[in-house]
Amino acid sequence: MKKQRLKAVALSTVLSAGALIGSVAQADQTLNAILQTGQAKTTAAKQSQKRIDKIAEDTNALLQEFKTVNKQIEGLRVYNAQQEKQIANQLVVLKDLEESIDQVTVMERQIQPLILRMLDGLEQFINLDVPFHLDERLERVEQLRANQERADITVAEKFRQVLEAYKIESEYGRKIDTYKDTLNIGGVDREVNILRVGRVALMYQTTDTKLSGAWDARQKAWVELDSGEYRSSILQGIKIAKKQATNDIMGLPILAPEAK
């Protein structure tokens, strides 16, 4: 009887141990399933966090871009406002220019005849003046006349050129000058040195210094001078004009003014 009870206890123990082993195995499977589920959730959570971080980064980038665009828009608004003011001012300037152009057109119509009259007066003055550099001065007037027909020169430039010619003529009256020329003296062409003292005196002296003469405005002709009286003075004047001698007092043949 004892052996049968022991067998029964042993069998019961074996059955209990099997049941326990089965329960443990089942528990292990359940635990593994729980762990796998937890791992999957953790992995999914990490992936979700990555997506959230990416969305946050994209959102932040878009926000910064939005702020930048807003600043650009504000800058463009300020710029456009300034441009509108400038355009308004330019329209005013254009209106003034149009009025000025209309006035210039009227002035051009008046200036062109004035230029022609000034050239006529200048040419007449040169022909009546002391005959120094005569060809050069008359050629200057002819060149200015030719320029009046040119369309590539503005009226303002034409007027400036005429004023420049008047200035040159004015400068002649304040300078002493000498140059070589050829004059007919006693029926013979002779090479001479011309001495001009402003418009006060115009003289010549042959290159050998033997003959001297002066322009007589009353006779409109060259007259021979006493070589002994004026030879050294004219020669000295020529040296002064050439910067070969210092300025000094010269005894020159100058006509006395006529009584009226």
Side-chain angles (χ1 to χ4, degrees), residues 7-252:
K7 289 181 181 180
V9 171
L11 179 61
S12 175
T13 300
V14 170
L15 291 175
S16 297
L20 179 59
I21 292 171
S23 297
V24 171
Q26 187 177 0
D28 289 339
Q29 292 178 356
T30 302
L31 180 59
N32 289 334
I34 292 171
L35 292 174
Q36 289 176 358
T37 301
Q39 184 65 34
K41 288 182 178 180
T42 301
T43 302
K46 289 181 179 180
Q47 293 176 349
S48 296
Q49 188 61 46
K50 289 181 180 180
R51 288 195 295 269
I52 291 171
D53 293 341
K54 182 65 169 60
I55 292 172
E57 290 177 1
D58 294 342
T59 302
N60 186 58
L62 289 173
L63 179 60
Q64 295 301 322
E65 184 178 354
F66 175 76
K67 290 180 179 179
T68 301
V69 171
N70 269 346
K71 289 182 180 179
Q72 292 176 349
I73 292 173
E74 184 62 26
L76 288 174
R77 285 175 180 170
V78 175
Y79 176 76
N80 288 337
Q82 292 177 343
Q83 289 297 106
E84 288 176 357
K85 291 180 180 179
Q86 290 182 3
I87 291 172
N89 291 333
Q90 288 174 353
L91 291 175
V92 174
V93 173
L94 286 175
K95 184 178 180 181
D96 293 341
L97 287 175
E98 289 176 355
E99 294 177 356
S100 299
I101 290 171
D102 293 338
Q103 294 176 0
V104 167
T105 302
V106 174
M107 292 179 62
E108 284 185 356
R109 294 172 185 171
Q110 297 174 349
I111 289 177
Q112 192 65 55
L114 173 62
I115 292 175
L116 296 176
R117 290 196 299 270
M118 291 176 68
L119 288 175
D120 290 339
L122 184 60
E123 183 176 10
Q124 183 180 9
F125 172 79
I126 292 173
N127 287 325
L128 294 174
D129 194 22
V130 181
F132 61 89
H133 297 305
L134 192 58
D135 293 340
E136 175 186 334
R137 295 160 71 193
L138 290 175
E139 183 180 354
R140 184 182 298 114
V141 174
E142 288 304 313
Q143 182 61 48
L144 291 175
R145 287 190 187 279
N147 287 347
Q148 302 310 305
E149 307 298 328
R150 293 178 56 177
D152 60 328
I153 301 178
T154 64
V155 174
E157 175 61 18
K158 293 174 183 177
F159 187 63
R160 188 200 65 78
Q161 291 176 356
V162 174
L163 291 179
E164 182 67 20
Y166 269 80
K167 181 180 178 182
I168 292 172
E169 289 294 329
S170 176
E171 291 293 328
Y172 283 142
R174 297 193 291 270
K175 294 181 178 180
I176 180 172
D177 178 34
T178 184
Y179 59 93
K180 290 187 178 296
D181 203 349
T182 301
L183 297 179
N184 187 285
I185 302 173
V188 179
D189 289 339
R190 300 288 299 271
E191 185 178 5
V192 299
N193 289 312
I194 300 292
L195 174 64
R196 176 181 62 82
V197 181
R199 286 187 166 88
V200 176
L202 184 66
M203 298 146 285
Y204 73 81
Q205 189 171 78
T206 56
T207 53
D208 59 8
T209 72
K210 291 182 178 180
L211 298 177
S212 301
W215 176 258
D216 189 327
R218 296 172 185 170
Q219 300 181 42
K220 302 294 182 183
W222 292 99
V223 296
E224 190 172 345
L225 298 174
D226 184 351
S227 296
E229 183 178 1
Y230 293 108
R231 175 180 175 275
S232 60
S233 294
I234 294 175
L235 183 59
Q236 179 69 10
I238 291 172
K239 290 181 179 179
I240 292 174
K242 290 181 177 180
K243 309 297 183 184
Q244 296 175 351
T246 58
N247 293 342
D248 199 357
I249 297 176
M250 298 177 291
L252 301 175

